[in-house]
Amino acid sequence: MPTISPEPLPATAREVHKQRQVAESFGANVERYDRTRPRYPDAMVERIVASSPGPEVLDVGIGTGIAARQFRAAGCRVRGVEPDSRMAEFARRSGFEVEESKFETWEPAGRTFDAVIAGQTWHWVDPVAGAAKARQVLRPNGVLAVFWNGAQPPMELAERFAEVYTRLVPDSPFGRTWLRPVADAYKAMSAAAEEGIREAGGFAEPQKWRVDWVQTYTREEWLDQVPTMGGHNLLDAALLAELLTGLGAAVDAVGGAFPMGYSTEVLVASSA
């Protein structure tokens, strides 16, 4: 998902992880986050699991456990690393062992894993230090897999969404992002991750692939999710309410429900 920035944007995609006010805001309402955030396509999970040499998985930025539950259902044993204590506690309630730390400073204590995954979180990790830490904990032929869900509504609705953001939150990138092709959503962050993997060393050449899918939202379902997107819960409450009213009117104008086109962008590298 795109991110509203209440701070100046970093100079490059490699520095997004420094934007800590946004990075540490997602746990404001963990129940809503877990309830509304999109899952990942089963085909993606199955392909990553098939490429892993074993079932031991480390989930970087496990959050509420959305991706972790999917990998567990596919037969993996998942441990999490999560800097937000609120999200870590929620994931523990789903039965995961979660250690509270930023990944770059997390102490693995000699433990190793068959796969390191990161769903919608790797841009909050220093791309070089994160890749180096992943290489440290991966077993031979282990897999680092990072992935993001990019979203694109139908063009008519995208234009209406963009107008609402431009009018109410003119500094928000949402006014521009909704109008871009879905494949562009995380292109810069994926490129930064790829560059970080190469710079860290110890990996085979990274491979990129994507899975396209569609999820239909009602007006109520979409407005329930919007406050979980990066930076929205840092907006003034009155402004957020006005924003939701405008977005709701936009959905009403196209019939009260819409198909959201998702593109799950995946970057995979095997430890050399």
Side-chain angles (χ1 to χ4, degrees), residues 58-59 61-63 79-92 96-107 111:
L58 181 68
D59 189 347
I62 190 173
R79 176 182 294 270
V81 177
E82 171 58 51
D84 190 313
S85 61
R86 300 161 297 184
M87 286 199 159
E89 182 54 35
F90 190 100
R92 292 186 187 110
F96 296 106
E97 293 187 28
V98 183
E99 299 175 33
E100 293 178 29
S101 175
K102 290 178 61 178
F103 183 56
E104 301 94 317
T105 56
W106 173 67
E107 177 48 62
R111 291 166 293 182

Short mmCIF file of all heavy atoms in Angstrom, two decimals, residues 58-59 61-63 79-92 96-107 111:
data_model
loop_
_atom_site.label_atom_id
_atom_site.label_comp_id
_atom_site.label_asym_id
_atom_site.label_seq_id
_atom_site.Cartn_x
_atom_site.Cartn_y
_atom_site.Cartn_z
N LEU A 58 11.85 -17.70 9.52
CA LEU A 58 11.92 -16.50 10.34
C LEU A 58 11.16 -15.40 9.61
O LEU A 58 11.46 -15.07 8.47
CB LEU A 58 13.37 -16.07 10.56
CG LEU A 58 13.55 -14.81 11.42
CD1 LEU A 58 13.16 -15.08 12.87
CD2 LEU A 58 15.00 -14.31 11.35
N ASP A 59 10.15 -14.82 10.28
CA ASP A 59 9.32 -13.77 9.69
C ASP A 59 9.78 -12.43 10.25
O ASP A 59 9.61 -12.14 11.44
CB ASP A 59 7.85 -14.02 10.03
CG ASP A 59 6.90 -13.08 9.28
OD1 ASP A 59 7.38 -12.08 8.71
OD2 ASP A 59 5.69 -13.35 9.28
N GLY A 61 9.48 -8.66 10.89
CA GLY A 61 8.34 -7.77 10.97
C GLY A 61 7.06 -8.58 10.90
O GLY A 61 6.18 -8.30 10.08
N ILE A 62 6.93 -9.56 11.75
CA ILE A 62 5.80 -10.49 11.71
C ILE A 62 4.47 -9.78 11.88
O ILE A 62 3.43 -10.26 11.45
CB ILE A 62 5.97 -11.60 12.78
CG1 ILE A 62 4.93 -12.71 12.60
CG2 ILE A 62 5.91 -11.02 14.19
CD1 ILE A 62 5.16 -13.91 13.51
N GLY A 63 4.48 -8.58 12.49
CA GLY A 63 3.24 -7.85 12.68
C GLY A 63 2.25 -8.64 13.50
O GLY A 63 2.58 -9.22 14.53
N ARG A 79 8.93 -18.43 13.39
CA ARG A 79 9.30 -17.56 14.51
C ARG A 79 9.33 -16.13 14.00
O ARG A 79 9.70 -15.89 12.84
CB ARG A 79 10.68 -17.95 15.07
CG ARG A 79 11.19 -17.04 16.20
CD ARG A 79 12.57 -17.46 16.65
NE ARG A 79 12.53 -18.77 17.28
CZ ARG A 79 12.33 -18.98 18.58
NH1 ARG A 79 12.16 -17.94 19.39
NH2 ARG A 79 12.32 -20.19 19.07
N GLY A 80 8.97 -15.18 14.82
CA GLY A 80 8.91 -13.81 14.38
C GLY A 80 9.87 -12.88 15.08
O GLY A 80 10.25 -13.11 16.24
N VAL A 81 10.26 -11.83 14.38
CA VAL A 81 10.99 -10.70 14.95
C VAL A 81 10.13 -9.47 14.66
O VAL A 81 9.71 -9.25 13.52
CB VAL A 81 12.39 -10.52 14.32
CG1 VAL A 81 13.08 -9.29 14.90
CG2 VAL A 81 13.23 -11.76 14.56
N GLU A 82 9.85 -8.67 15.69
CA GLU A 82 8.92 -7.56 15.53
C GLU A 82 9.29 -6.44 16.50
O GLU A 82 9.38 -6.66 17.71
CB GLU A 82 7.49 -8.03 15.81
CG GLU A 82 6.44 -6.95 15.90
CD GLU A 82 6.36 -6.10 14.64
OE1 GLU A 82 6.26 -6.67 13.53
OE2 GLU A 82 6.40 -4.85 14.76
N PRO A 83 9.52 -5.20 16.01
CA PRO A 83 9.91 -4.11 16.90
C PRO A 83 8.75 -3.51 17.70
O PRO A 83 8.98 -2.86 18.72
CB PRO A 83 10.49 -3.07 15.94
CG PRO A 83 9.81 -3.33 14.64
CD PRO A 83 9.61 -4.82 14.59
N ASP A 84 7.51 -3.73 17.28
CA ASP A 84 6.34 -3.13 17.94
C ASP A 84 5.77 -4.13 18.95
O ASP A 84 5.27 -5.19 18.57
CB ASP A 84 5.30 -2.76 16.90
CG ASP A 84 4.16 -1.93 17.47
OD1 ASP A 84 3.63 -2.29 18.54
OD2 ASP A 84 3.79 -0.91 16.85
N SER A 85 5.81 -3.78 20.22
CA SER A 85 5.36 -4.70 21.27
C SER A 85 3.87 -5.03 21.14
O SER A 85 3.44 -6.13 21.49
CB SER A 85 5.63 -4.11 22.65
OG SER A 85 4.95 -2.88 22.83
N ARG A 86 3.07 -4.08 20.62
CA ARG A 86 1.63 -4.32 20.48
C ARG A 86 1.37 -5.39 19.42
O ARG A 86 0.54 -6.29 19.62
CB ARG A 86 0.92 -3.01 20.12
CG ARG A 86 1.09 -1.92 21.16
CD ARG A 86 0.78 -0.54 20.60
NE ARG A 86 1.70 -0.15 19.54
CZ ARG A 86 1.70 1.03 18.93
NH1 ARG A 86 0.80 1.94 19.26
NH2 ARG A 86 2.57 1.31 17.98
N MET A 87 2.07 -5.30 18.32
CA MET A 87 1.91 -6.30 17.29
C MET A 87 2.50 -7.64 17.72
O MET A 87 1.93 -8.71 17.45
CB MET A 87 2.55 -5.83 15.99
CG MET A 87 1.76 -4.74 15.28
SD MET A 87 2.23 -4.60 13.54
CE MET A 87 0.79 -3.78 12.88
N ALA A 88 3.64 -7.59 18.39
CA ALA A 88 4.27 -8.83 18.85
C ALA A 88 3.33 -9.60 19.77
O ALA A 88 3.18 -10.83 19.66
CB ALA A 88 5.57 -8.52 19.57
N GLU A 89 2.66 -8.91 20.67
CA GLU A 89 1.75 -9.57 21.59
C GLU A 89 0.57 -10.17 20.85
O GLU A 89 0.11 -11.27 21.18
CB GLU A 89 1.26 -8.57 22.65
CG GLU A 89 0.33 -9.18 23.70
CD GLU A 89 0.93 -10.40 24.39
OE1 GLU A 89 2.16 -10.43 24.62
OE2 GLU A 89 0.16 -11.33 24.70
N PHE A 90 0.05 -9.48 19.85
CA PHE A 90 -1.06 -10.02 19.06
C PHE A 90 -0.63 -11.31 18.36
O PHE A 90 -1.37 -12.30 18.35
CB PHE A 90 -1.52 -8.99 18.03
CG PHE A 90 -2.81 -9.36 17.34
CD1 PHE A 90 -4.01 -8.81 17.74
CD2 PHE A 90 -2.82 -10.27 16.28
CE1 PHE A 90 -5.20 -9.15 17.10
CE2 PHE A 90 -4.00 -10.62 15.65
CZ PHE A 90 -5.19 -10.06 16.06
N ALA A 91 0.56 -11.31 17.75
CA ALA A 91 1.04 -12.51 17.06
C ALA A 91 1.24 -13.66 18.03
O ALA A 91 0.98 -14.82 17.70
CB ALA A 91 2.34 -12.19 16.32
N ARG A 92 1.69 -13.35 19.23
CA ARG A 92 1.86 -14.42 20.24
C ARG A 92 0.53 -15.08 20.56
O ARG A 92 0.48 -16.29 20.83
CB ARG A 92 2.49 -13.85 21.51
CG ARG A 92 3.94 -13.41 21.36
CD ARG A 92 4.54 -13.00 22.69
NE ARG A 92 5.87 -12.41 22.50
CZ ARG A 92 6.16 -11.12 22.66
NH1 ARG A 92 5.21 -10.27 23.06
NH2 ARG A 92 7.38 -10.68 22.46
N PHE A 96 2.57 -17.86 17.98
CA PHE A 96 3.93 -17.70 17.46
C PHE A 96 4.88 -17.23 18.55
O PHE A 96 4.50 -16.45 19.42
CB PHE A 96 3.95 -16.70 16.31
CG PHE A 96 3.15 -17.13 15.11
CD1 PHE A 96 1.93 -16.54 14.82
CD2 PHE A 96 3.62 -18.14 14.29
CE1 PHE A 96 1.19 -16.94 13.73
CE2 PHE A 96 2.88 -18.56 13.18
CZ PHE A 96 1.66 -17.96 12.91
N GLU A 97 6.11 -17.70 18.48
CA GLU A 97 7.17 -17.16 19.32
C GLU A 97 7.71 -15.92 18.61
O GLU A 97 8.15 -15.99 17.47
CB GLU A 97 8.28 -18.18 19.53
CG GLU A 97 7.84 -19.39 20.35
CD GLU A 97 9.00 -20.30 20.70
OE1 GLU A 97 10.15 -19.80 20.79
OE2 GLU A 97 8.77 -21.51 20.86
N VAL A 98 7.65 -14.79 19.32
CA VAL A 98 8.04 -13.52 18.72
C VAL A 98 9.02 -12.81 19.64
O VAL A 98 8.77 -12.66 20.84
CB VAL A 98 6.81 -12.60 18.48
CG1 VAL A 98 7.24 -11.31 17.79
CG2 VAL A 98 5.75 -13.33 17.65
N GLU A 99 10.13 -12.36 19.07
CA GLU A 99 11.14 -11.61 19.81
C GLU A 99 11.07 -10.15 19.39
O GLU A 99 10.99 -9.85 18.20
CB GLU A 99 12.52 -12.20 19.56
CG GLU A 99 12.60 -13.66 20.01
CD GLU A 99 13.92 -14.32 19.67
OE1 GLU A 99 14.95 -13.61 19.67
OE2 GLU A 99 13.91 -15.53 19.38
N GLU A 100 11.05 -9.24 20.36
CA GLU A 100 10.88 -7.82 20.08
C GLU A 100 12.22 -7.16 19.82
O GLU A 100 13.06 -7.03 20.71
CB GLU A 100 10.17 -7.15 21.26
CG GLU A 100 8.73 -7.63 21.42
CD GLU A 100 8.04 -7.01 22.62
OE1 GLU A 100 8.41 -5.87 22.99
OE2 GLU A 100 7.16 -7.67 23.19
N SER A 101 12.40 -6.75 18.58
CA SER A 101 13.66 -6.12 18.17
C SER A 101 13.54 -5.65 16.74
O SER A 101 12.76 -6.19 15.95
CB SER A 101 14.82 -7.13 18.26
OG SER A 101 16.02 -6.58 17.77
N LYS A 102 14.30 -4.60 16.39
CA LYS A 102 14.54 -4.32 14.98
C LYS A 102 15.41 -5.45 14.43
O LYS A 102 16.29 -5.96 15.12
CB LYS A 102 15.25 -2.98 14.81
CG LYS A 102 14.40 -1.77 15.14
CD LYS A 102 15.19 -0.48 14.98
CE LYS A 102 15.70 -0.29 13.57
NZ LYS A 102 16.44 1.00 13.41
N PHE A 103 15.18 -5.84 13.19
CA PHE A 103 15.88 -6.99 12.65
C PHE A 103 17.38 -6.76 12.59
O PHE A 103 18.18 -7.66 12.88
CB PHE A 103 15.34 -7.31 11.26
CG PHE A 103 15.96 -8.54 10.64
CD1 PHE A 103 15.92 -9.76 11.29
CD2 PHE A 103 16.57 -8.47 9.39
CE1 PHE A 103 16.48 -10.91 10.71
CE2 PHE A 103 17.14 -9.59 8.81
CZ PHE A 103 17.09 -10.82 9.47
N GLU A 104 17.79 -5.53 12.25
CA GLU A 104 19.21 -5.26 12.09
C GLU A 104 19.98 -5.47 13.39
O GLU A 104 21.18 -5.81 13.37
CB GLU A 104 19.44 -3.82 11.60
CG GLU A 104 18.77 -3.48 10.28
CD GLU A 104 17.41 -2.85 10.49
OE1 GLU A 104 16.64 -3.32 11.36
OE2 GLU A 104 17.13 -1.87 9.78
N THR A 105 19.32 -5.26 14.54
CA THR A 105 20.00 -5.40 15.84
C THR A 105 19.58 -6.65 16.59
O THR A 105 20.02 -6.85 17.72
CB THR A 105 19.72 -4.16 16.71
OG1 THR A 105 18.30 -3.99 16.85
CG2 THR A 105 20.32 -2.91 16.08
N TRP A 106 18.75 -7.47 15.99
CA TRP A 106 18.29 -8.71 16.62
C TRP A 106 19.45 -9.69 16.79
O TRP A 106 20.31 -9.81 15.91
CB TRP A 106 17.19 -9.33 15.76
CG TRP A 106 16.75 -10.69 16.21
CD1 TRP A 106 16.10 -11.03 17.36
CD2 TRP A 106 16.92 -11.92 15.48
NE1 TRP A 106 15.84 -12.37 17.39
CE2 TRP A 106 16.34 -12.94 16.25
CE3 TRP A 106 17.50 -12.23 14.25
CZ2 TRP A 106 16.32 -14.27 15.84
CZ3 TRP A 106 17.48 -13.55 13.84
CH2 TRP A 106 16.90 -14.55 14.62
N GLU A 107 19.49 -10.37 17.93
CA GLU A 107 20.55 -11.33 18.22
C GLU A 107 20.05 -12.76 17.98
O GLU A 107 19.23 -13.27 18.75
CB GLU A 107 21.02 -11.18 19.67
CG GLU A 107 22.10 -12.17 20.10
CD GLU A 107 23.23 -12.27 19.10
OE1 GLU A 107 23.91 -11.25 18.88
OE2 GLU A 107 23.42 -13.37 18.52
N ARG A 111 21.08 -19.36 16.17
CA ARG A 111 19.99 -20.06 15.50
C ARG A 111 20.02 -19.81 14.00
O ARG A 111 20.39 -18.72 13.55
CB ARG A 111 18.65 -19.61 16.08
CG ARG A 111 18.41 -20.06 17.52
CD ARG A 111 17.26 -19.34 18.15
NE ARG A 111 17.57 -17.92 18.32
CZ ARG A 111 16.74 -17.04 18.88
NH1 ARG A 111 15.53 -17.45 19.30
NH2 ARG A 111 17.08 -15.79 19.02
#
